[in-house]
Amino acid sequence: MEEGGSGGSGGSDGSTGGSGGAQQRELERMAEVLVTGEQLRLRLHEEKVIKDRRHHLKTYPNCFVAKELIDWLIEHKEASDRETAIKLMQKLADRGIIHHVCDEHKEFKDVKLFYRFRKDDGTFPLDNEVKAFMRGQRLYEKLMSPENTLLQAREEEGVKYERTFMASEFLDWLVQEGEATTRKEAEQLCHRLMEHGIIQHVSNKHPFVDSNLLYQFRMNFRRRRRLMELLNEKSPSSQETHDSPFCLRKQSHDNRKSTSFMSVSPSKEIKIVSAVRRSSMSSCGSSGYFSSSPTLSSSPPVLCNPKSVLKRPVTSEELLTPGAPYARKTFTIVGDAVGWGFVVRGSKPCHIQAVDPSGPAAAAGMKVCQFVVSVNGLNVLHVDYRTVSNLILTGPRTIVMEVMEELEC
């Protein structure tokens, strides 16, 4: 969830009672499972793990083999072992996201049985909560498109908030986009989204009102979820306090807000760095999501280390010196449903600060501490990470990157 998303929307001050708070946490857990399941489904389609299969002369469309999927989860570091992989998939089965193609097995088994995502066969149960969630996700995706300018950094009561929308402008947009036929219907939709914890007032003080008040989506639907998060029984807000790798989220300090990209190093220290993900792309203008001086969250406390992963500074001239101990490598990286899976930082030259172990960049061979030489044929040795980030975010889905890697002595 976005920061400030732990409160409910039951009263005018955003407070909830005990039962209301428990219900809100359950909605948050459900939403996280749905997003996690959908991201997995898209990845499995892209990698042809989900496909039409035949058994006893019958074709089962859009399904996967349980045993093969467990192999895939371990190979892509989404599960440490087969037992854990089974538990993860059982979580999706319990929530009605996947099922056995003939509904003969309620338990997910490590055998050659066919399973399918219910979204692929139209059997997903659409209760009110799921309908509200799916509506919210669709609106979020439309608002995050490059041509949309509704989500912007704005101030309310002297505090700046990222990715906000003004209530009155949002209602106009809903009618204009055909999401509602009348302004009253649009306002009723916003009340439902707020009731289900999908949007909130920026400081959680007000219900939804047709006014100049500012609101935000509580969830970053595009954040790459790790399947292991499904085994954490804490609320999503609590999970993102210590943050999972490659989560784009807002940080606050002394009433100033900036958005940073957090990644967890092997030592478990948290580094705040700039993001290079398609999910980071928005119409935020000059404010952007690439902070040159990221601020640290003061509450709750987390172990932070914003320093570069480089052991020492390296200049472009040093990289280009004849005989220098660096090797050139070229990677072709095809972005998946949520991005490319790496973080770039630094200036003249930029370097790779973090790599998502389950992302496309890691699969192509990218590693931390490599220096970025070119992006899609354009030399970037003498520019900063903002320029490199912009080249990637505004370019094609497939990127060709040339890097230089220090040779081991």
Side-chain angles (χ1 to χ4, degrees):
M1 291 292 170
E2 295 291 341
E3 182 186 12
S6 58
S9 55
S12 61
D13 61 350
S15 62
T16 59
S19 59
Q23 182 182 17
Q24 183 61 49
R25 287 190 294 274
E26 175 57 25
L27 287 174
E28 291 173 356
R29 280 193 292 270
M30 178 203 71
E32 285 296 320
V33 175
L34 289 175
V35 175
T36 304
E38 178 61 8
Q39 289 184 358
L40 177 63
R41 186 183 74 88
L42 292 173
R43 289 176 67 191
L44 295 179
H45 271 288
E46 284 192 350
E47 301 205 16
K48 309 299 185 209
V49 178
I50 293 177
K51 58 186 179 182
D52 295 352
R53 300 174 186 271
R54 288 182 63 83
H55 181 66
H56 288 170
L57 303 180
K58 181 177 180 180
T59 299
Y60 296 87
N62 292 325
C63 63
F64 59 87
V65 179
K67 191 176 184 66
E68 292 178 4
L69 178 60
I70 290 176
D71 293 337
W72 186 92
L73 292 174
I74 295 173
E75 179 184 349
H76 288 76
K77 297 180 174 60
E78 290 289 354
S80 56
D81 51 57
R82 306 192 78 81
E83 182 181 356
T84 301
I86 293 171
K87 289 180 180 178
L88 291 170
M89 297 310 297
Q90 189 62 49
K91 285 279 185 180
L92 297 182
D94 291 343
R95 290 282 183 173
I97 294 173
I98 63 170
H99 69 121
H100 178 251
V101 290
C102 299
D103 290 318
E104 295 176 353
H105 303 274
K106 291 189 176 181
E107 293 184 355
F108 190 85
K109 299 180 179 181
D110 185 5
V111 293
K112 292 184 178 180
L113 288 174
F114 292 169
Y115 289 81
R116 184 186 291 130
F117 281 80
R118 288 190 179 276
K119 195 166 183 181
D120 283 332
D121 61 13
T123 62
F124 195 82
L126 295 177
D127 56 24
N128 289 335
E129 286 79 12
V130 173
K131 286 180 180 177
F133 166 81
M134 295 180 72
R135 188 76 176 274
Q137 184 177 30
R138 186 174 77 246
L139 293 175
Y140 181 90
E141 291 295 336
K142 292 175 72 172
L143 289 169
M144 288 294 285
S145 64
E147 62 272 12
N148 196 294
T149 60
L150 199 64
L151 296 184
Q152 295 185 20
R154 298 181 177 89
E155 285 192 13
E156 186 171 292
E157 297 182 352
V159 180
K160 188 174 182 179
Y161 299 91
E162 300 286 348
R163 285 182 291 178
T164 69
F165 58 87
M166 190 178 297
S168 57
E169 292 180 357
F170 189 50
L171 294 177
D172 292 337
W173 179 82
L174 288 171
V175 175
Q176 179 183 338
E177 289 293 312
E179 295 290 344
T181 55
T182 64
R183 196 175 185 83
K184 182 177 180 181
E185 183 181 323
E187 190 168 359
Q188 291 173 343
L189 170 59
C190 292
H191 285 303
R192 287 199 302 274
L193 295 177
M194 200 158 185
E195 177 185 344
H196 290 287
I198 296 169
I199 63 173
Q200 67 173 18
H201 177 249
V202 289
S203 60
N204 225 17
K205 292 180 179 178
H206 301 283
F208 189 87
V209 182
D210 184 358
S211 64
N212 291 336
L213 289 174
L214 301 181
Y215 296 82
Q216 290 175 314
F217 279 79
R218 295 184 61 182
M219 173 181 287
N220 181 351
F221 288 95
R222 292 185 173 186
R223 175 177 74 83
R224 181 196 286 275
R225 271 68 174 177
R226 302 303 301 272
L227 279 179
M228 289 300 294
E229 294 176 41
L230 296 178
L231 300 183
N232 191 337
E233 294 301 326
K234 297 179 181 179
S235 67
S237 301
S238 176
Q239 287 181 29
E240 294 197 10
T241 294
H242 299 285
D243 223 63
S244 55
F246 309 98
C247 169
L248 182 66
R249 63 182 293 228
K250 188 171 69 230
Q251 300 294 305
S252 66
H253 184 62
D254 296 334
N255 292 330
R256 294 189 300 272
K257 297 192 178 283
S258 67
T259 305
S260 302
F261 193 82
M262 303 186 71
S263 64
V264 181
S265 70
S267 63
K268 301 302 180 185
E269 291 182 312
I270 294 178
K271 295 181 172 68
I272 300 184
V273 291
S274 298
V276 178
R277 305 281 288 163
R278 189 175 293 273
S279 59
S280 306
M281 183 164 51
S282 77
S283 54
C284 55
S286 60
S287 61
Y289 291 122
F290 307 106
S291 173
S292 58
S293 55
T295 55
L296 307 183
S297 176
S298 57
S299 177
V302 293
L303 181 63
C304 293
N305 175 14
K307 296 180 181 179
S308 167
V309 294
L310 298 178
K311 295 179 180 178
R312 63 178 181 85
V314 175
T315 65
S316 299
E317 290 72 22
E318 179 181 344
L319 292 176
L320 298 174
T321 301
Y326 297 94
R328 288 184 181 246
K329 295 185 176 182
T330 302
F331 304 124
T332 299
I333 307 171
V334 181
D336 63 12
V338 290
W340 296 273
F342 68 96
V343 173
V344 66
R345 196 181 181 189
S347 177
K348 303 178 183 179
C350 301
H351 63 272
I352 304 302
Q353 177 76 7
V355 179
D356 181 350
S358 63
M366 182 173 282
K367 300 176 182 177
V368 297
C369 296
Q370 291 172 336
F371 297 96
V372 184
V373 177
S374 68
V375 176
N376 293 331
L378 183 65
N379 189 295
V380 295
L381 275 175
H382 301 285
V383 301
D384 65 9
Y385 68 90
R386 291 183 184 86
T387 304
V388 174
S389 300
N390 187 59
L391 281 173
I392 295 170
L393 290 171
T394 58
R397 184 182 179 193
T398 299
I399 58 174
V400 178
M401 291 186 64
E402 185 181 11
V403 303
M404 295 188 78
E405 178 178 303
E406 187 170 11
L407 297 173
E408 296 183 2
C409 298

